[in-house]
Amino acid sequence: MPDLLEFKNLRIEATSYPPGEPPRDVVLVDGVSVSVAKGKVLGLIGESGAGKSTIGLSAMSFGRGGVRLTGGEILLNGRNIRGMDAAGLRALRGREVTYVAQSAAAAFNPAKRLMEQVIETTLHHGIMGRAEAEARAVMLFGKLGLPNPESFGRRYPHQVSGGQLQRAMTAMALCPKPDLVIFDEPTTALDVTTQIDVLAAIKEAIRDTGVAALYITHDLAVVAQVSDDILVLRHGKMVEYGTVADIITAPKQAYTQALVSVRSIDHHEKPEAPAVLSVQNITARYAGTTFDVLKNVTVDLPAGQTLAVVGESGSGKSTLARVITGLLPAAQGRISFAGRTLSADLAGRTKDDLRELQMIYQMADVAMNPRQTVGTIIGRPLEFYFGLKGEAKRQRVQDLLDQIEMGKGFIDRYPAELSGGQKQRVCIARALAAKPKLIICDEVTSALDPLVADGILKLLLDLQAREGVAYLFITHDLATVRAIADRIAVMYRGQVVRYGGKTDVLTPPYDDYTDLLLSSAPEMRIGWLEEVLAHRKMESAGN
Amino acid sequence: MHPILKLVVQRIALGLLLLLAVSLLIFAGTEALPGDVAQSILGQSATPEALANLREALGLNEPAMTRYFKWLGGILTGDFGVALTNGQDIGQAIGQRLGNTLFLATSAAVISVPLAILLGLVAARYNGRWPDKLISGVTLSTISLPEFVAAYFVIYLLTQLIPIFQPVAMVFPGMSFWEKLQAVALPVIVLVLVVLAHMMRMTRAAVLNVMQSAYIETAELKGLGPMTVIWRHALPNAIAPIISVVVLNLAYLVVGVVVVEVVFSYNALGQYLVDHVAKRDLPVVQAVGLIFAAVYIGLNILADVISILANPRLRHPK
């Protein structure tokens, strides 16, 4: 029996328009040959730019933007769909192959009720009548663990949570009884505790409906839970292909080995030291509201050390950063910094307060002015705080660039010419330029690929050892916390539920929330998902 | 109270407040005009006694605030006063002409709004291809013509080259609806040509903007055809900006078409206003100005309310 889907020597190209240069064709995917049998799940894994999504969408013969499928064969149910005419493609999209996008929140039409969207494909292709399709949707809502399946479809997308939308999108993909579903990073945008529920729901739905799937993700631990086979991709080429067990227990290629063993940093907790930052009984709320986003938060950060603040979205971690920087004055409580009490309001702070407390953000590309060169960006705090000008300033910028391992030649470049990791390094150099005592790092590695993120973390630790700067490190990722923290504060709904040295915090017995959070971080072994779900004490907050 | 109802009530209250401010502005503006009404009625050769008597009769000697409140109170009770130049009741004179204005504006809107939106959707569907360029090219050239040029062009084409219409659009009381419709055919064609481009371009831009959204890709990957995607998934999310431009054009059709009225000798509010501005008949100018302002504010409130209703987040709060 032929396979359901087979790529033969697939080649995908696009035209790139680099600034100031003539457009040129770039090869996104080259020489990919792989197949998916009926009812099987193939995991596509790789870093951003590896071509995972591009390959996934090519299973519907769809190229995003100017992407062109230029070579090879895409055999779906025995026929080549590459180069098929528009009418033929419309007939197979949504009928034979369906798609689950990364951000269900953006992939649902905000103006339509969920039911209308979930059964749209089924009705459009005449697969079922309306009553039958609605009944199937309700059945799928129930199977995917959505609350009140009977009435769920009457809601609008903004009325349900992100985790629920992701499940609704899975229901939308399964409703027309397709042969193949493409899951494009379906859990990446979710909190870990929500991710695990959605992952379990998807896995069960795949098993019960017997549908085949392409499961795209950058997280090897996640794909190990749902796939039968894994294809590792890099720069659009196949690196390694094999069963899940082969890939995660006995990877052959060096790149796969690096992916499997990522987070190689071994950081030991530093001994107690006097605090550089002391946050005492902070309560905060946003203007015009009565809801306390932070409730009675007290934490200390020893000089030259790292305090990791972990929690899910909405737990108040970024608000804590806003309070410390003075962007959101606290309603109650006191912040002492370097032996003095900080004014709650930004306007009441001295220039030294500002200089000694710097910040690095998650999205490095929007934290820099795209029309300024790296030299101007890093030079600005040098001029503002130290009055450096001309050659002295340029020399100092170059020193800082050396410190972040970017060397010569970058000083006159623009942010658009840098990779994601390099942009984040420039932001680090800009923060360092002020010679701060404390840098607040807000999810600085969350948007980066694991290997690149690893490099950034190593650099941060390195700089800490040399400059003695303290970090308040905000993250939702526990692996990052393990790698970098000396002290940890676990936040849940605006409160610190667990706080102490890293070893203490990460040693049982845990409170219920920390237990949920720790157990939800995917581990790279087969059967982990089932094991965790069997031992849970508490429902995740996202439901 | 339902949040939508609250928002709507707020908008209407704000609109009324704005109208009050506009009435003050109109009154102050006409007050500030140089010259003297009594003088301009009686002419340069008037005797001082005659002038004083007329001022007394017109109430011009009272303080401005008193006159403002008298004027406002009159309008609130339906009394717009009398025209200085011919002693006619302003309310009556306006009533009939306002009917004509609204008839012309409605006729033009009924054709131009659906046509503009349809053309905008087609242009968005064929973005960058020849139907898009053709639609944009034609509508942009018609909007670039001054109204009177367009008007004379249409008159020449449809009364001289192909004589199927009358060059003047005279309407009288007692004409049947069908006769009136025939009479306004030419000005309606001109107005449609003038307002089409603006609304069509906005529809196209708003829809193309929405077409960048992830849910449009979702719809395409469901296998829906391009027009279905636009109609079902893009348009409902592009309503708000389209409505605001449509309403601006509707307001223009009511208050801004005096040139077209003059070219076709159509007896409506715009001409009435211009005539009396020339004669310095301030009560008429004030009354018509206030009506125009009310139309503008009313239509903009309508646009706001429709935009609010089109937003599911406001219609169905969490």
Side-chain angles (χ1 to χ4, degrees), chain A residues 72-369:
Chain A
E73 286 177 46
I74 304 164
L75 298 170
L76 179 73
N77 280 323
R79 68 202 194 283
N80 186 10
I81 62 167
R82 189 175 77 80
M84 202 183 234
D85 65 0
L89 288 176
R90 281 206 293 277
L92 78 88
R93 288 175 187 163
R95 180 200 288 272
E96 291 171 55
V97 191
T98 56
Y99 180 72
V100 178
Q102 170 170 357
S103 170
F108 272 106
N109 186 336
K112 303 244 166 210
R113 291 180 198 273
L114 289 168
M115 178 59 84
E116 213 43 53
Q117 304 191 53
V118 167
I119 63 170
E120 186 177 19
T121 322
T122 314
L123 298 186
H124 176 76
H125 290 288
I127 296 164
M128 293 172 215
R130 176 171 282 272
E132 204 186 337
E134 285 188 2
R136 180 169 165 82
V138 169
M139 183 274 288
L140 287 167
F141 290 156
K143 192 184 280 298
L144 286 157
L146 286 164
N148 309 318
E150 289 290 338
S151 61
F152 183 80
R154 285 203 288 276
R155 305 215 212 163
Y156 280 87
H158 69 271
Q159 293 175 309
V160 306
S161 74
Q164 289 171 354
L165 272 184
Q166 208 67 51
R167 283 184 244 191
M169 186 139 201
T170 306
M172 183 158 89
L174 292 173
C175 192
K177 299 185 176 170
D179 301 322
L180 178 76
V181 180
I182 301 160
F183 290 97
D184 194 352
E185 305 254 16
T187 63
T188 306
L190 305 175
D191 281 317
V192 275
T193 57
T194 313
Q195 156 168 298
I196 191 167
D197 291 330
V198 175
L199 208 56
I202 288 176
K203 184 171 182 176
E204 203 178 294
I206 290 176
R207 196 186 59 213
D208 290 357
T209 54
V211 72
L214 278 179
Y215 198 99
I216 298 162
T217 175
H218 67 278
D219 190 340
L220 197 49
V222 164
V223 85
Q225 308 308 318
V226 291
S227 299
D228 299 298
D229 298 317
I230 290 179
L231 171 62
V232 181
L233 292 156
R234 191 182 196 195
H235 305 321
K237 293 198 169 62
M238 297 172 64
V239 174
E240 194 164 350
Y241 174 46
T243 64
V244 172
D246 286 348
I247 298 282
I248 64 172
T249 55
K252 292 186 192 65
Q253 301 296 319
Y255 179 70
T256 317
Q257 286 161 2
L259 278 184
V260 172
S261 67
V262 75
R263 302 282 186 244
S264 52
I265 303 172
D266 198 16
H267 173 70
H268 292 287
E269 186 182 332
K270 293 194 195 79
E272 292 272 344
V276 64
L277 175 79
S278 179
V279 174
Q280 290 148 29
N281 303 312
I282 288 288
T283 296
R285 58 187 79 99
Y286 285 97
T289 63
T290 53
F291 177 74
D292 289 339
V293 192
L294 293 178
K295 279 171 255 172
N296 219 10
V297 171
T298 300
V299 287
D300 277 343
L301 169 53
Q305 300 196 8
T306 302
L307 168 67
V309 179
V310 274
E312 303 185 358
S313 46
S315 64
K317 16 183 229 308
S318 291
T319 306
L320 181 60
R322 290 174 65 83
V323 169
I324 295 171
T325 51
L327 290 171
L328 176 71
Q332 286 162 39
R334 207 172 77 99
I335 301 168
S336 8
F337 176 64
R340 54 190 191 265
T341 301
L342 282 184
S343 148
D345 197 356
L346 190 60
R349 299 201 175 173
T350 66
K351 202 168 180 179
D352 260 355
D353 290 341
L354 301 180
R355 180 181 66 75
E356 291 181 345
L357 208 167
Q358 292 291 313
M359 191 142 181
I360 313 173
Y361 303 87
Q362 175 173 0
M363 309 299 284
D365 27 358
V366 292
M368 290 188 283
N369 186 337

Side-chain angles (χ1 to χ4, degrees), chain B:
Chain B
M1 196 163 28
H2 193 278
I4 291 220
L5 197 62
K6 199 174 153 194
L7 271 171
V8 170
V9 170
Q10 266 177 1
R11 289 300 143 101
I12 292 175
L14 265 176
L16 290 177
L17 206 66
L18 194 59
L19 199 55
L20 191 71
V22 169
S23 74
L24 202 64
L25 214 63
I26 289 176
F27 191 84
T30 48
E31 240 356 75
L33 285 178
D36 176 28
V37 182
Q39 182 89 63
S40 62
I41 292 176
L42 296 178
Q44 289 297 333
S45 55
T47 61
E49 286 106 67
L51 276 175
N53 285 341
L54 188 60
R55 281 205 191 99
E56 187 66 34
L58 293 175
L60 292 176
N61 292 331
E62 290 175 59
M65 278 317 271
T66 316
R67 279 183 288 130
Y68 170 70
F69 282 112
K70 269 191 183 166
W71 175 66
L72 194 67
I75 287 173
L76 289 177
T77 53
D79 175 18
F80 285 83
V82 288
L84 292 178
T85 40
N86 53 12
Q88 242 184 359
D89 182 69
I90 298 176
Q92 226 166 25
I94 286 179
Q96 194 203 341
R97 292 180 170 86
L98 183 63
N100 288 346
T101 290
L102 292 181
F103 182 70
L104 181 64
T106 310
S107 311
V110 163
I111 297 174
S112 61
V113 173
L115 184 64
I117 291 178
L118 186 74
L119 288 176
L121 294 182
V122 172
R125 157 73 178 84
Y126 295 100
N127 178 22
R129 314 231 297 266
W130 70 263
D132 177 23
K133 288 179 180 156
L134 182 71
I135 291 170
S136 292
V138 170
T139 53
L140 284 178
S141 357
T142 61
I143 202 181
S144 309
L145 287 179
E147 292 139 292
F148 60 91
V149 177
Y152 287 128
F153 181 73
V154 168
I155 290 176
Y156 176 67
L157 190 73
L158 293 181
T159 67
Q160 303 300 311
L161 281 186
I162 318 164
I164 48 176
F165 288 113
Q166 290 298 313
V168 286
M170 304 281 251
V171 284
F172 311 101
M175 275 171 94
S176 76
F177 179 73
W178 180 242
E179 285 169 327
K180 276 189 182 178
L181 220 50
Q182 272 187 315
V184 299
L186 284 187
V188 163
I189 291 174
V190 172
L191 290 177
V192 167
L193 290 178
V194 171
V195 297
L196 205 54
H198 202 182
M199 292 189 282
M200 169 271 168
R201 296 289 293 178
M202 193 39 141
T203 305
R204 176 182 175 278
V207 166
L208 283 180
N209 189 28
V210 171
M211 293 298 277
Q212 309 292 322
S213 312
Y215 54 81
I216 296 300
E217 188 181 277
T218 306
E220 284 172 12
L221 291 177
K222 283 177 171 178
L224 305 180
M227 222 49 210
T228 316
V229 171
I230 290 177
W231 183 254
R232 232 188 260 169
H233 290 281
L235 186 59
N237 291 291
I239 290 287
I242 296 175
I243 286 293
S244 62
V245 167
V246 165
V247 160
L248 273 183
N249 281 282
L250 293 185
Y252 164 79
L253 286 177
V254 175
V255 308
V257 296
V258 57
V259 173
V260 175
E261 286 175 17
V262 170
V263 171
F264 291 98
S265 319
Y266 187 74
N267 186 15
L269 222 45
Q271 251 199 67
Y272 182 62
L273 174 65
V274 172
D275 284 351
H276 288 80
V277 166
K279 292 178 198 157
R280 239 178 215 292
D281 195 336
L282 294 186
V284 173
V285 175
Q286 286 170 343
V288 176
L290 198 60
I291 286 175
F292 281 178
V295 166
Y296 235 97
I297 292 171
L299 283 171
N300 276 296
I301 291 177
L302 186 71
D304 277 3
V305 170
I306 294 177
S307 302
I308 291 169
L309 291 180
N311 184 343
R313 281 170 196 277
L314 294 172
R315 213 166 58 229
H316 304 276
K318 281 199 178 197

